[in-house]
Coordinates of all heavy atoms in Angstrom, one line a residue:
L273 N 0.8 -1.2 0.0 CA 0.0 0.0 0.0 C 0.9 1.3 0.0 O 0.6 2.2 -0.7 CB -0.9 0.0 1.2 CG -2.0 1.0 1.2 CD1 -2.9 0.9 0.0 CD2 -2.9 0.8 2.5
H274 N 2.0 1.2 0.8 CA 2.9 2.3 0.8 C 3.4 2.6 -0.6 O 3.5 3.8 -1.0 CB 4.0 2.0 1.8 CG 5.1 3.0 1.8 ND1 5.0 4.2 2.4 CD2 6.4 2.9 1.2 CE1 6.2 4.9 2.2 NE2 7.0 4.1 1.5
R275 N 3.8 1.6 -1.3 CA 4.4 1.8 -2.7 C 3.3 2.4 -3.6 O 3.6 3.2 -4.5 CB 4.9 0.5 -3.2 CG 6.2 0.0 -2.6 CD 7.4 0.8 -3.0 NE 8.5 0.3 -2.4 CZ 9.6 1.0 -2.0 NH1 9.6 2.3 -2.2 NH2 10.6 0.4 -1.5
A276 N 2.1 1.9 -3.4 CA 1.0 2.4 -4.3 C 0.8 3.9 -4.1 O 0.7 4.7 -5.1 CB -0.3 1.6 -4.0
F277 N 0.8 4.3 -2.9 CA 0.6 5.8 -2.6 C 1.8 6.6 -3.1 O 1.7 7.6 -3.6 CB 0.4 6.0 -1.1 CG -1.0 5.7 -0.7 CD1 -1.2 4.8 0.4 CD2 -2.1 6.2 -1.3 CE1 -2.5 4.5 0.8 CE2 -3.4 5.9 -0.9 CZ -3.6 5.0 0.2
E278 N 3.0 6.0 -2.9 CA 4.2 6.7 -3.3 C 4.2 6.8 -4.8 O 4.5 7.9 -5.4 CB 5.4 5.8 -2.9 CG 6.7 6.4 -3.1 CD 7.8 5.5 -2.6 OE1 8.0 5.4 -1.4 OE2 8.5 4.9 -3.5
F279 N 3.7 5.8 -5.5 CA 3.6 5.9 -7.0 C 2.6 6.9 -7.4 O 2.9 7.7 -8.3 CB 3.3 4.5 -7.6 CG 3.1 4.5 -9.1 CD1 4.2 4.6 -9.9 CD2 1.9 4.5 -9.6 CE1 4.1 4.6 -11.3 CE2 1.7 4.5 -11.0 CZ 2.8 4.6 -11.8
I280 N 1.4 6.9 -6.8 CA 0.4 7.8 -7.2 C 0.8 9.3 -6.9 O 0.6 10.1 -7.8 CB -0.9 7.5 -6.4 CG1 -1.5 6.2 -6.9 CG2 -1.9 8.6 -6.5 CD1 -2.6 5.6 -6.0
L281 N 1.5 9.5 -5.8 CA 1.9 10.8 -5.5 C 3.0 11.3 -6.5 O 3.0 12.4 -6.9 CB 2.5 10.9 -4.1 CG 1.4 10.9 -3.0 CD1 2.1 10.8 -1.6 CD2 0.5 12.1 -3.1
S282 N 3.9 10.4 -6.8 CA 5.0 10.8 -7.8 C 4.4 11.0 -9.2 O 4.8 11.9 -9.9 CB 6.1 9.8 -7.9 OG 5.6 8.6 -8.5
S283 N 3.3 10.3 -9.5 CA 2.7 10.5 -10.8 C 1.9 11.8 -10.8 O 1.8 12.5 -11.9 CB 1.7 9.4 -11.1 OG 2.4 8.2 -11.2
A284 N 1.4 12.2 -9.7 CA 0.6 13.4 -9.6 C 1.5 14.7 -9.7 O 1.1 15.7 -10.2 CB -0.2 13.5 -8.3
T285 N 2.7 14.5 -9.2 CA 3.6 15.7 -9.2 C 4.3 15.9 -10.5 O 4.8 17.0 -10.8 CB 4.7 15.5 -8.1 OG1 5.4 14.3 -8.3 CG2 4.0 15.5 -6.7
S286 N 4.3 14.9 -11.3 CA 5.0 15.0 -12.7 C 4.0 14.5 -13.7 O 3.8 13.3 -13.9 CB 6.3 14.2 -12.7 OG 6.1 12.9 -12.5
P287 N 3.3 15.4 -14.4 CA 2.3 15.0 -15.4 C 3.0 14.2 -16.6 O 4.2 14.4 -16.8 CB 1.7 16.3 -15.9 CG 2.5 17.4 -15.4 CD 3.4 16.8 -14.3
G288 N 2.2 13.4 -17.2 CA 2.8 12.6 -18.3 C 3.2 11.2 -17.7 O 2.5 10.7 -16.9
A289 N 4.2 10.7 -18.2 CA 4.7 9.4 -17.8 C 5.2 9.4 -16.3 O 5.9 10.4 -16.0 CB 5.8 8.8 -18.7
P290 N 4.9 8.4 -15.5 CA 5.4 8.4 -14.2 C 6.9 8.3 -14.2 O 7.5 7.7 -15.1 CB 4.8 7.2 -13.5 CG 4.1 6.4 -14.6 CD 4.1 7.3 -15.8
P291 N 7.6 8.8 -13.1 CA 9.1 8.7 -13.1 C 9.6 7.3 -13.0 O 8.9 6.5 -12.3 CB 9.4 9.5 -11.8 CG 8.2 10.2 -11.3 CD 7.0 9.5 -12.0
S292 N 10.7 7.0 -13.6 CA 11.2 5.7 -13.6 C 11.6 5.2 -12.2 O 11.5 4.0 -11.9 CB 12.4 5.6 -14.6 OG 13.4 6.4 -14.1
A293 N 12.0 6.1 -11.3 CA 12.3 5.7 -10.0 C 11.1 5.1 -9.2 O 11.2 4.2 -8.5 CB 12.9 6.9 -9.2
A294 N 9.9 5.7 -9.5 CA 8.7 5.2 -8.8 C 8.3 3.9 -9.4 O 7.9 3.0 -8.7 CB 7.6 6.2 -9.1
I295 N 8.5 3.7 -10.7 CA 8.2 2.4 -11.3 C 9.1 1.3 -10.8 O 8.7 0.2 -10.4 CB 8.3 2.5 -12.9 CG1 7.2 3.4 -13.4 CG2 8.2 1.1 -13.5 CD1 7.3 3.7 -14.9
T296 N 10.4 1.7 -10.7 CA 11.4 0.7 -10.3 C 11.1 0.3 -8.8 O 11.3 -0.9 -8.4 CB 12.8 1.3 -10.4 OG1 13.0 1.6 -11.8 CG2 13.9 0.3 -9.9
A297 N 10.7 1.3 -8.0 CA 10.5 1.0 -6.6 C 9.3 0.0 -6.4 O 9.4 -0.9 -5.6 CB 10.1 2.3 -5.8
V298 N 8.3 0.1 -7.2 CA 7.2 -0.8 -7.2 C 7.6 -2.2 -7.7 O 7.3 -3.2 -7.1 CB 6.0 -0.3 -8.0 CG1 4.9 -1.4 -8.1 CG2 5.4 1.0 -7.4
L299 N 8.4 -2.2 -8.8 CA 8.7 -3.5 -9.4 C 9.7 -4.3 -8.5 O 9.8 -5.5 -8.6 CB 9.3 -3.3 -10.8 CG 8.4 -2.7 -11.8 CD1 9.1 -2.5 -13.1 CD2 7.2 -3.7 -12.0
E300 N 10.5 -3.6 -7.7 CA 11.5 -4.3 -6.9 C 11.0 -4.6 -5.5 O 11.8 -5.2 -4.7 CB 12.8 -3.4 -6.8 CG 13.5 -3.4 -8.2 CD 14.8 -2.6 -8.2 OE1 15.0 -1.9 -7.2 OE2 15.5 -2.6 -9.2
D301 N 9.8 -4.2 -5.2 CA 9.3 -4.4 -3.8 C 8.7 -5.9 -3.7 O 7.7 -6.2 -4.2 CB 8.2 -3.4 -3.5 CG 7.7 -3.5 -2.1 OD1 8.0 -4.5 -1.4 OD2 7.1 -2.5 -1.6
N302 N 9.5 -6.7 -3.1 CA 9.1 -8.1 -3.0 C 7.9 -8.4 -2.0 O 7.4 -9.5 -1.9 CB 10.3 -9.0 -2.5 CG 11.3 -9.1 -3.7 OD1 11.0 -9.1 -4.8 ND2 12.6 -9.2 -3.3
N303 N 7.5 -7.3 -1.3 CA 6.3 -7.4 -0.5 C 5.0 -7.3 -1.3 O 3.9 -7.7 -0.9 CB 6.3 -6.3 0.6 CG 7.4 -6.5 1.6 OD1 7.7 -7.6 2.0 ND2 8.0 -5.4 2.0
I304 N 5.1 -6.9 -2.6 CA 4.0 -6.9 -3.5 C 3.9 -8.2 -4.2 O 4.9 -8.7 -4.7 CB 4.2 -5.7 -4.5 CG1 4.2 -4.4 -3.8 CG2 3.0 -5.7 -5.5 CD1 4.5 -3.2 -4.7
N305 N 2.7 -8.7 -4.3 CA 2.5 -10.0 -5.0 C 3.1 -10.0 -6.4 O 3.0 -9.0 -7.1 CB 1.0 -10.2 -5.1 CG 0.6 -11.6 -5.6 OD1 1.1 -12.0 -6.7 ND2 -0.3 -12.3 -4.9
L306 N 3.7 -11.1 -6.8 CA 4.4 -11.2 -8.1 C 3.4 -10.9 -9.2 O 3.8 -10.2 -10.1 CB 5.0 -12.6 -8.2 CG 5.7 -12.9 -9.6 CD1 6.9 -11.9 -9.7 CD2 6.1 -14.3 -9.7
L307 N 2.2 -11.4 -9.2 CA 1.2 -11.2 -10.2 C 0.9 -9.7 -10.4 O 0.8 -9.2 -11.5 CB 0.0 -12.0 -10.0 CG -1.0 -12.1 -11.1 CD1 -0.4 -12.6 -12.4 CD2 -2.2 -13.0 -10.7
D308 N 0.8 -9.0 -9.2 CA 0.6 -7.6 -9.3 C 1.7 -6.8 -9.9 O 1.6 -5.9 -10.6 CB 0.3 -7.1 -7.9 CG -1.1 -7.6 -7.3 OD1 -1.9 -7.9 -8.2 OD2 -1.2 -7.7 -6.1
R309 N 3.0 -7.3 -9.5 CA 4.1 -6.6 -10.1 C 4.2 -6.8 -11.6 O 4.6 -5.9 -12.3 CB 5.4 -7.1 -9.4 CG 5.6 -6.5 -8.0 CD 6.9 -6.9 -7.4 NE 7.0 -8.3 -7.1 CZ 8.1 -9.0 -7.2 NH1 9.2 -8.4 -7.5 NH2 8.1 -10.3 -6.9
I310 N 3.9 -8.0 -12.0 CA 3.9 -8.3 -13.5 C 2.8 -7.4 -14.2 O 3.1 -6.8 -15.2 CB 3.7 -9.8 -13.7 CG1 4.9 -10.6 -13.3 CG2 3.4 -10.0 -15.2 CD1 4.7 -12.1 -13.3
A311 N 1.6 -7.3 -13.6 CA 0.6 -6.5 -14.2 C 1.0 -5.1 -14.3 O 0.8 -4.4 -15.3 CB -0.7 -6.7 -13.4
F312 N 1.7 -4.6 -13.2 CA 2.1 -3.2 -13.1 C 3.2 -3.0 -14.2 O 3.2 -2.0 -14.9 CB 2.7 -2.9 -11.8 CG 3.2 -1.5 -11.5 CD1 2.3 -0.6 -11.1 CD2 4.5 -1.2 -11.7 CE1 2.6 0.7 -10.9 CE2 4.9 0.1 -11.5 CZ 4.0 1.1 -11.1
A313 N 4.1 -3.9 -14.4 CA 5.1 -3.8 -15.4 C 4.5 -3.8 -16.8 O 4.9 -3.0 -17.7 CB 6.1 -5.0 -15.3
C314 N 3.5 -4.6 -17.0 CA 2.8 -4.6 -18.3 C 2.1 -3.2 -18.6 O 2.1 -2.8 -19.8 CB 1.7 -5.7 -18.4 SG 2.4 -7.3 -18.5
M315 N 1.7 -2.6 -17.6 CA 1.0 -1.3 -17.8 C 2.0 -0.1 -18.0 O 1.7 0.8 -18.8 CB 0.2 -0.9 -16.5 CG -1.0 -1.8 -16.3 SD -2.3 -1.5 -17.4 CE -2.8 0.2 -17.0
Y316 N 3.1 -0.1 -17.4 CA 4.0 1.0 -17.3 C 5.3 0.9 -18.0 O 6.1 1.9 -18.1 CB 4.2 1.5 -15.9 CG 2.9 2.0 -15.3 CD1 2.2 1.3 -14.4 CD2 2.4 3.3 -15.7 CE1 1.0 1.7 -13.9 CE2 1.2 3.7 -15.1 CZ 0.5 3.0 -14.2 OH -0.6 3.4 -13.7
L317 N 5.7 -0.3 -18.5 CA 7.0 -0.4 -19.2 C 6.8 -0.6 -20.7 O 5.8 -1.2 -21.1 CB 7.8 -1.6 -18.6 CG 8.2 -1.6 -17.2 CD1 8.9 -2.8 -16.8 CD2 9.0 -0.3 -16.9
D318 N 7.8 -0.1 -21.5 CA 7.7 -0.3 -22.9 C 8.1 -1.8 -23.1 O 8.6 -2.5 -22.2 CB 8.6 0.6 -23.7 CG 10.1 0.5 -23.3 OD1 10.6 -0.6 -23.1 OD2 10.7 1.6 -23.2
D319 N 8.0 -2.3 -24.3 CA 8.2 -3.7 -24.6 C 9.6 -4.2 -24.3 O 9.8 -5.2 -23.7 CB 7.9 -4.0 -26.1 CG 6.5 -3.9 -26.5 OD1 5.6 -3.9 -25.6 OD2 6.2 -3.8 -27.7
S320 N 10.6 -3.4 -24.6 CA 12.0 -3.8 -24.3 C 12.2 -3.9 -22.8 O 12.8 -4.8 -22.3 CB 12.9 -2.8 -24.9 OG 14.3 -3.1 -24.6
A321 N 11.8 -2.8 -22.1 CA 12.0 -2.8 -20.6 C 11.1 -3.9 -20.0 O 11.6 -4.6 -19.0 CB 11.6 -1.5 -20.0
L322 N 10.0 -4.2 -20.5 CA 9.1 -5.3 -20.0 C 9.8 -6.6 -20.1 O 9.8 -7.4 -19.2 CB 7.7 -5.3 -20.7 CG 6.8 -6.4 -20.3 CD1 6.4 -6.3 -18.8 CD2 5.5 -6.4 -21.1
H323 N 10.3 -6.9 -21.3 CA 11.1 -8.1 -21.5 C 12.2 -8.3 -20.5 O 12.4 -9.4 -19.9 CB 11.6 -8.2 -23.0 CG 12.2 -9.5 -23.3 ND1 13.5 -9.8 -23.1 CD2 11.6 -10.6 -23.9 CE1 13.8 -11.0 -23.5 NE2 12.7 -11.5 -23.9
T324 N 13.0 -7.2 -20.4 CA 14.1 -7.3 -19.4 C 13.6 -7.5 -18.0 O 14.2 -8.3 -17.3 CB 14.9 -5.9 -19.5 OG1 15.3 -5.8 -20.9 CG2 16.1 -5.9 -18.6
Q325 N 12.6 -6.8 -17.6 CA 12.0 -7.0 -16.2 C 11.5 -8.4 -16.0 O 11.8 -9.0 -14.9 CB 10.9 -5.9 -16.0 CG 10.4 -5.9 -14.6 CD 11.4 -5.5 -13.5 OE1 12.3 -4.7 -13.8 NE2 11.4 -6.1 -12.4
L326 N 10.8 -8.9 -16.9 CA 10.3 -10.3 -16.8 C 11.4 -11.3 -16.7 O 11.3 -12.3 -15.9 CB 9.3 -10.6 -17.9 CG 8.0 -9.8 -17.9 CD1 7.1 -10.2 -19.1 CD2 7.2 -10.0 -16.6
A327 N 12.4 -11.1 -17.5 CA 13.6 -12.0 -17.4 C 14.3 -11.9 -16.1 O 14.7 -13.0 -15.5 CB 14.6 -11.7 -18.6
S328 N 14.4 -10.7 -15.5 CA 15.0 -10.5 -14.2 C 14.1 -11.2 -13.1 O 14.7 -11.9 -12.2 CB 15.1 -9.0 -14.0 OG 15.6 -8.8 -12.6
I329 N 12.8 -11.0 -13.2 CA 11.9 -11.6 -12.2 C 12.0 -13.1 -12.3 O 12.0 -13.8 -11.3 CB 10.5 -11.1 -12.4 CG1 10.3 -9.6 -12.0 CG2 9.5 -11.9 -11.6 CD1 9.0 -9.0 -12.4
Q330 N 12.1 -13.6 -13.5 CA 12.1 -15.1 -13.7 C 13.4 -15.6 -13.1 O 13.4 -16.6 -12.3 CB 12.1 -15.4 -15.2 CG 12.2 -16.9 -15.5 CD 12.1 -17.2 -16.9 OE1 11.3 -16.6 -17.6 NE2 12.8 -18.2 -17.4
K331 N 14.5 -15.0 -13.3 CA 15.8 -15.4 -12.7 C 15.8 -15.4 -11.2 O 16.3 -16.3 -10.5 CB 17.0 -14.6 -13.2 CG 17.4 -14.9 -14.6 CD 18.5 -13.9 -15.1 CE 18.8 -14.1 -16.6 NZ 19.8 -13.2 -17.1
Q332 N 15.2 -14.3 -10.6 CA 15.0 -14.2 -9.2 C 14.2 -15.3 -8.6 O 14.5 -15.9 -7.6 CB 14.4 -12.9 -8.8 CG 15.3 -11.7 -9.0 CD 14.6 -10.4 -8.8 OE1 13.4 -10.3 -8.5 NE2 15.2 -9.3 -9.1
C333 N 13.1 -15.7 -9.3 CA 12.2 -16.7 -8.8 C 12.9 -18.1 -8.9 O 12.7 -18.9 -7.9 CB 10.9 -16.7 -9.6 SG 9.8 -15.4 -9.3
I334 N 13.6 -18.3 -9.9 CA 14.3 -19.6 -10.0 C 15.4 -19.7 -8.9 O 15.5 -20.7 -8.3 CB 15.0 -19.7 -11.4 CG1 13.9 -19.9 -12.5 CG2 16.0 -20.9 -11.5 CD1 14.4 -19.8 -13.9
A335 N 16.1 -18.6 -8.7 CA 17.2 -18.6 -7.7 C 16.6 -18.8 -6.3 O 17.2 -19.5 -5.5 CB 18.0 -17.3 -7.7
A336 N 15.4 -18.3 -6.1 CA 14.8 -18.4 -4.7 C 13.9 -19.7 -4.6 O 13.5 -20.0 -3.5 CB 13.9 -17.2 -4.5
G337 N 13.6 -20.3 -5.7 CA 12.8 -21.5 -5.7 C 11.3 -21.1 -5.4 O 10.6 -21.8 -4.7
S338 N 10.9 -19.9 -5.8 CA 9.6 -19.4 -5.6 C 8.6 -20.0 -6.6 O 8.8 -19.7 -7.8 CB 9.6 -17.9 -5.7 OG 8.2 -17.4 -5.6
L339 N 7.6 -20.8 -6.2 CA 6.7 -21.4 -7.1 C 5.9 -20.4 -7.9 O 5.3 -20.7 -8.9 CB 5.8 -22.4 -6.4 CG 6.5 -23.6 -5.8 CD1 5.5 -24.5 -5.2 CD2 7.3 -24.4 -6.9
Q340 N 5.8 -19.1 -7.4 CA 5.0 -18.1 -8.1 C 5.7 -17.9 -9.5 O 5.0 -17.5 -10.4 CB 5.0 -16.8 -7.3 CG 4.2 -16.8 -6.1 CD 4.1 -15.4 -5.5 OE1 4.5 -14.4 -6.1 NE2 3.7 -15.4 -4.2
G341 N 7.0 -18.2 -9.6 CA 7.7 -18.0 -10.8 C 7.2 -18.9 -11.9 O 7.5 -18.7 -13.1
L342 N 6.4 -19.9 -11.6 CA 5.9 -20.8 -12.6 C 4.9 -20.0 -13.5 O 4.6 -20.5 -14.6 CB 5.2 -22.0 -12.0 CG 6.1 -23.0 -11.3 CD1 5.3 -24.1 -10.6 CD2 7.0 -23.7 -12.4
L343 N 4.4 -18.9 -13.1 CA 3.6 -18.0 -13.9 C 4.4 -17.6 -15.2 O 3.9 -17.4 -16.2 CB 3.2 -16.8 -13.2 CG 2.3 -16.9 -12.0 CD1 2.2 -15.6 -11.2 CD2 0.9 -17.3 -12.5
L344 N 5.7 -17.4 -15.0 CA 6.6 -17.0 -16.1 C 7.2 -18.2 -16.8 O 7.4 -18.1 -18.0 CB 7.7 -16.1 -15.6 CG 7.2 -14.8 -15.0 CD1 8.3 -14.0 -14.3 CD2 6.5 -13.9 -16.0
T345 N 7.6 -19.2 -16.1 CA 8.4 -20.3 -16.7 C 7.5 -21.4 -17.3 O 7.9 -22.1 -18.2 CB 9.4 -20.9 -15.7 OG1 8.6 -21.6 -14.7 CG2 10.3 -19.9 -15.1
G346 N 6.3 -21.6 -16.7 CA 5.6 -22.7 -17.0 C 6.3 -24.0 -16.6 O 7.2 -23.9 -15.7
L347 N 6.0 -25.1 -17.1 CA 6.7 -26.3 -16.7 C 7.8 -26.7 -17.8 O 8.0 -27.8 -18.2 CB 5.7 -27.5 -16.5 CG 4.8 -27.3 -15.3 CD1 3.8 -28.4 -15.2 CD2 5.6 -27.2 -14.0
S348 N 8.5 -25.6 -18.2 CA 9.6 -25.8 -19.1 C 10.9 -26.2 -18.4 O 10.8 -26.5 -17.2 CB 9.9 -24.4 -19.8 OG 10.3 -23.5 -18.8
K349 N 12.0 -26.2 -19.0 CA 13.3 -26.5 -18.4 C 13.5 -25.6 -17.2 O 13.9 -26.0 -16.1 CB 14.4 -26.5 -19.3 CG 15.8 -26.9 -18.7 CD 17.0 -26.5 -19.5 CE 18.3 -26.8 -18.8 NZ 18.4 -26.4 -17.4
E350 N 13.3 -24.3 -17.5 CA 13.4 -23.3 -16.4 C 12.5 -23.5 -15.2 O 12.8 -23.4 -14.1 CB 13.2 -21.9 -16.9 CG 14.3 -21.4 -17.9 CD 14.1 -21.8 -19.3 OE1 13.0 -22.4 -19.6 OE2 15.0 -21.6 -20.1
G351 N 11.3 -24.0 -15.6 CA 10.3 -24.3 -14.5 C 10.8 -25.5 -13.7 O 10.6 -25.5 -12.5
L352 N 11.4 -26.5 -14.4 CA 11.9 -27.6 -13.6 C 13.1 -27.2 -12.8 O 13.2 -27.7 -11.6 CB 12.2 -28.8 -14.6 CG 11.1 -29.4 -15.3 CD1 11.6 -30.4 -16.3 CD2 10.0 -29.9 -14.4
D353 N 13.9 -26.3 -13.2 CA 15.0 -25.8 -12.4 C 14.4 -25.1 -11.2 O 14.9 -25.2 -10.1 CB 15.9 -24.8 -13.2 CG 16.7 -25.5 -14.3 OD1 16.8 -26.7 -14.3 OD2 17.1 -24.8 -15.2
L354 N 13.4 -24.3 -11.4 CA 12.7 -23.6 -10.3 C 12.2 -24.6 -9.3 O 12.4 -24.5 -8.0 CB 11.6 -22.8 -10.8 CG 10.9 -21.8 -9.8 CD1 10.3 -20.6 -10.6 CD2 9.8 -22.5 -9.1
I355 N 11.5 -25.7 -9.7 CA 10.9 -26.7 -8.8 C 12.1 -27.4 -8.1 O 11.9 -27.7 -6.9 CB 10.1 -27.7 -9.6 CG1 8.8 -27.0 -10.2 CG2 9.7 -28.9 -8.8 CD1 8.0 -27.8 -11.1
Q356 N 13.2 -27.7 -8.8 CA 14.3 -28.3 -8.1 C 14.8 -27.4 -7.0 O 15.1 -27.9 -5.9 CB 15.4 -28.6 -9.1 CG 16.7 -29.3 -8.4 CD 16.3 -30.6 -7.8 OE1 15.8 -31.5 -8.5 NE2 16.6 -30.8 -6.6
E357 N 14.9 -26.1 -7.2 CA 15.4 -25.2 -6.2 C 14.4 -25.2 -5.0 O 14.8 -25.1 -3.9 CB 15.6 -23.8 -6.8 CG 16.3 -22.8 -5.9 CD 17.7 -23.2 -5.5 OE1 18.4 -23.8 -6.4 OE2 18.1 -22.9 -4.4
Y358 N 13.1 -25.2 -5.4 CA 12.0 -25.3 -4.3 C 12.2 -26.5 -3.4 O 12.2 -26.4 -2.2 CB 10.7 -25.3 -5.0 CG 9.5 -25.5 -4.0 CD1 9.1 -24.4 -3.3 CD2 8.9 -26.7 -3.9 CE1 8.0 -24.6 -2.4 CE2 7.9 -26.9 -3.0 CZ 7.4 -25.9 -2.3 OH 6.4 -26.1 -1.4
V359 N 12.4 -27.6 -4.1 CA 12.6 -28.9 -3.3 C 13.9 -28.8 -2.5 O 13.9 -29.2 -1.3 CB 12.7 -30.1 -4.2 CG1 13.1 -31.4 -3.5 CG2 11.3 -30.3 -4.9
D360 N 15.0 -28.2 -3.0 CA 16.2 -28.1 -2.3 C 16.0 -27.2 -1.0 O 16.6 -27.5 0.0 CB 17.3 -27.5 -3.1 CG 17.8 -28.4 -4.2 OD1 17.5 -29.6 -4.2 OD2 18.4 -27.9 -5.2
N361 N 15.2 -26.2 -1.2 CA 14.9 -25.3 -0.1 C 13.9 -25.8 1.0 O 14.1 -25.5 2.2 CB 14.4 -23.9 -0.6 CG 15.5 -23.2 -1.3 OD1 16.6 -23.4 -1.2 ND2 15.0 -22.2 -2.2
T362 N 12.9 -26.5 0.5 CA 11.8 -26.9 1.4 C 11.7 -28.4 1.7 O 11.0 -28.8 2.6 CB 10.5 -26.5 0.8 OG1 10.2 -27.2 -0.4 CG2 10.5 -25.0 0.6
A363 N 12.3 -29.2 0.9 CA 12.2 -30.7 1.0 C 10.7 -31.2 0.7 O 10.3 -32.2 1.1 CB 12.7 -31.2 2.3
D364 N 9.9 -30.3 0.1 CA 8.6 -30.6 -0.3 C 8.5 -31.4 -1.6 O 8.2 -30.8 -2.6 CB 7.7 -29.4 -0.3 CG 6.2 -29.6 -0.5 OD1 5.8 -30.8 -0.6 OD2 5.5 -28.6 -0.6
V365 N 8.8 -32.7 -1.5 CA 8.8 -33.5 -2.7 C 7.4 -33.8 -3.3 O 7.2 -33.9 -4.5 CB 9.6 -34.9 -2.4 CG1 9.6 -35.8 -3.6 CG2 11.0 -34.6 -1.9
Q366 N 6.4 -33.8 -2.4 CA 5.1 -34.0 -2.8 C 4.6 -33.0 -3.8 O 4.0 -33.3 -4.8 CB 4.1 -34.1 -1.6 CG 2.7 -34.4 -2.0 CD 1.8 -34.5 -0.7 OE1 2.2 -34.3 0.4 NE2 0.6 -34.9 -1.0
M367 N 4.9 -31.7 -3.5 CA 4.4 -30.6 -4.4 C 5.2 -30.8 -5.8 O 4.6 -30.6 -6.8 CB 4.8 -29.3 -3.8 CG 4.4 -28.1 -4.7 SD 2.7 -28.0 -5.1 CE 2.0 -27.3 -3.6
A368 N 6.4 -31.1 -5.7 CA 7.2 -31.3 -7.0 C 6.6 -32.4 -7.8 O 6.5 -32.3 -9.0 CB 8.7 -31.5 -6.6
A369 N 6.3 -33.5 -7.1 CA 5.7 -34.6 -7.8 C 4.4 -34.3 -8.5 O 4.1 -34.7 -9.6 CB 5.5 -35.8 -6.9
L370 N 3.5 -33.6 -7.7 CA 2.2 -33.1 -8.3 C 2.4 -32.2 -9.5 O 1.7 -32.4 -10.5 CB 1.4 -32.4 -7.2 CG 0.8 -33.3 -6.1 CD1 0.3 -32.5 -5.0 CD2 -0.2 -34.3 -6.7
L371 N 3.3 -31.3 -9.4 CA 3.6 -30.4 -10.5 C 4.1 -31.1 -11.7 O 3.7 -30.9 -12.9 CB 4.5 -29.2 -10.1 CG 3.9 -28.2 -9.1 CD1 5.0 -27.3 -8.6 CD2 2.8 -27.4 -9.8
S372 N 5.1 -32.0 -11.5 CA 5.7 -32.8 -12.5 C 4.6 -33.7 -13.2 O 4.6 -33.8 -14.4 CB 6.8 -33.6 -12.0 OG 7.8 -32.8 -11.5
A373 N 3.8 -34.3 -12.4 CA 2.7 -35.2 -13.0 C 1.8 -34.4 -13.8 O 1.3 -34.8 -14.9 CB 2.0 -35.9 -11.9
F374 N 1.4 -33.2 -13.4 CA 0.5 -32.3 -14.1 C 1.2 -31.9 -15.5 O 0.6 -31.9 -16.5 CB 0.2 -31.0 -13.3 CG -0.7 -30.1 -14.0 CD1 -2.1 -30.4 -14.1 CD2 -0.2 -29.0 -14.6 CE1 -2.9 -29.5 -14.8 CE2 -1.1 -28.1 -15.3 CZ -2.4 -28.4 -15.4
G375 N 2.5 -31.6 -15.4 CA 3.2 -31.2 -16.6 C 3.3 -32.3 -17.6 O 3.1 -32.1 -18.8
A376 N 3.6 -33.5 -17.1 CA 3.7 -34.7 -18.0 C 2.3 -35.0 -18.6 O 2.3 -35.4 -19.8 CB 4.2 -35.9 -17.2
A377 N 1.3 -34.8 -17.9 CA -0.1 -35.1 -18.4 C -0.4 -34.2 -19.5 O -1.2 -34.5 -20.4 CB -1.1 -35.0 -17.3
H378 N 0.1 -32.9 -19.5 CA -0.3 -31.9 -20.5 C 0.8 -31.7 -21.5 O 0.8 -30.7 -22.2 CB -0.7 -30.6 -19.8 CG -1.9 -30.8 -19.0 ND1 -3.1 -31.4 -19.5 CD2 -2.2 -30.4 -17.7 CE1 -4.0 -31.3 -18.5 NE2 -3.5 -30.8 -17.4
A379 N 1.9 -32.5 -21.5 CA 3.0 -32.3 -22.4 C 2.6 -32.4 -23.8 O 3.2 -31.8 -24.7 CB 4.1 -33.3 -22.0
D380 N 1.6 -33.2 -24.2 CA 1.2 -33.4 -25.5 C 0.3 -32.4 -26.1 O 0.0 -32.3 -27.2 CB 0.6 -34.8 -25.7 CG 1.6 -35.9 -25.4 OD1 2.8 -35.7 -25.7 OD2 1.2 -37.0 -25.0
D381 N -0.2 -31.5 -25.2 CA -1.2 -30.5 -25.6 C -0.6 -29.4 -26.4 O 0.5 -29.1 -26.4 CB -1.9 -29.8 -24.3 CG -2.8 -30.8 -23.6 OD1 -3.0 -31.9 -24.2 OD2 -3.2 -30.5 -22.5

């Protein structure tokens, strides 16, 4: 909520495009849900910056083993790397098995 007000206030003080510092602050705030940060990036970044930001978020999710990153990776090789990191961090093999079974079942789609 703090970042949202900060962004709104910075946008109100500078008409036109919001300042890049305000956008960066929102995108780098890990307290904001990943899906919300992705939606925010889609709204306020140009295509090139969006691609760069999504790649950065994907790398962070893989490194942290955050299952939210599956929104970006799907059950691709990167997704499996993410799941492996998740298992390494949590020892939750059951979740990894369920995700892998789901991916295998839909691999032909």
Side-chain angles (χ1 to χ4, degrees):
L273 191 58
H274 172 75
R275 290 285 183 215
F277 284 127
E278 188 176 288
F279 177 76
I280 291 168
L281 288 174
S282 69
S283 297
T285 59
S286 60
S292 63
I295 294 172
T296 302
V298 172
L299 294 175
E300 292 180 353
D301 189 344
N302 289 329
N303 293 320
I304 299 174
N305 184 310
L306 178 64
L307 190 55
D308 292 334
R309 288 188 289 146
I310 291 171
F312 185 85
C314 290
M315 291 288 296
Y316 292 103
L317 296 179
D318 62 39
D319 290 345
S320 175
L322 176 62
H323 185 274
T324 302
Q325 184 65 36
L326 292 178
S328 173
I329 291 172
Q330 180 176 324
K331 287 179 186 174
Q332 291 171 3
C333 288
I334 292 170
S338 172
L339 292 181
Q340 289 185 18
L342 290 173
L343 293 167
L344 297 172
T345 65
L347 292 174
S348 63
K349 181 194 176 318
E350 290 84 7
L352 295 178
D353 292 342
L354 186 152
I355 293 169
Q356 180 62 56
E357 190 64 33
Y358 173 80
V359 170
D360 292 346
N361 292 341
T362 65
D364 186 0
V365 178
Q366 183 177 7
M367 178 63 77
L370 288 170
L371 289 169
S372 298
F374 181 79
H378 295 311
D380 295 331
D381 291 349

